[in-house]
Amino acid sequence: MQTYYRPTPVQIAQLHNPLMTNTAPQQDTVYLIGSDNTKHAILKEHAMESSTLKSILDGDFGDSNDSIELPSMRGEVIDKIVEYLDFKYKKLHPDAEENDNADDMDEDGFANFHIPTELSLDVLLAADYLDI
């Protein structure tokens, strides 16, 4: 009888999401679910940089505290929101252990944060809604 290795869902998620592969103690991860039903992982600390997400996570707005549905946002817009919330957390908390990514900065010390033109309006509306 041959035995096959079958990874757990957490191990699969860690392969596909670098946010979940850290050697630090297990941190809370929140999933943002867009209109295309894809899950976008973000650390809870980083999600708390948005006052809207913070209200949802702290309040009784959902059945589960580990996922938030954002039906008016496409997945590619949520990707940019997650990228920005990670950037904002790192800027506001420079002493955090995970802030060792100096590769993302240009020569003036600003992050290389590119938003494609076709996403600009959607990202602006999402940022307004999330209050970031």
Side-chain angles (χ1 to χ4, degrees), residues 40-96:
H40 305 270
I42 183 171
L43 295 176
K44 187 174 182 178
E45 300 174 318
H46 296 201
M48 295 296 235
E49 296 298 326
S50 161
S51 59
T52 303
L53 295 177
K54 183 177 182 178
S55 296
I56 292 171
L57 292 169
D58 288 343
D60 295 326
F61 292 104
D63 298 335
S64 173
N65 280 344
D66 65 347
S67 64
I68 299 171
E69 291 188 26
L70 301 169
S72 64
M73 296 180 204
R74 298 187 327 250
E76 54 197 359
V77 174
I78 293 177
D79 281 339
K80 283 297 174 183
I81 295 298
V82 167
E83 186 180 338
Y84 176 74
L85 288 171
D86 290 340
F87 166 76
K88 183 176 179 182
Y89 181 85
K90 290 174 185 177
K91 280 296 191 185
L92 294 176
H93 303 86
D95 56 336

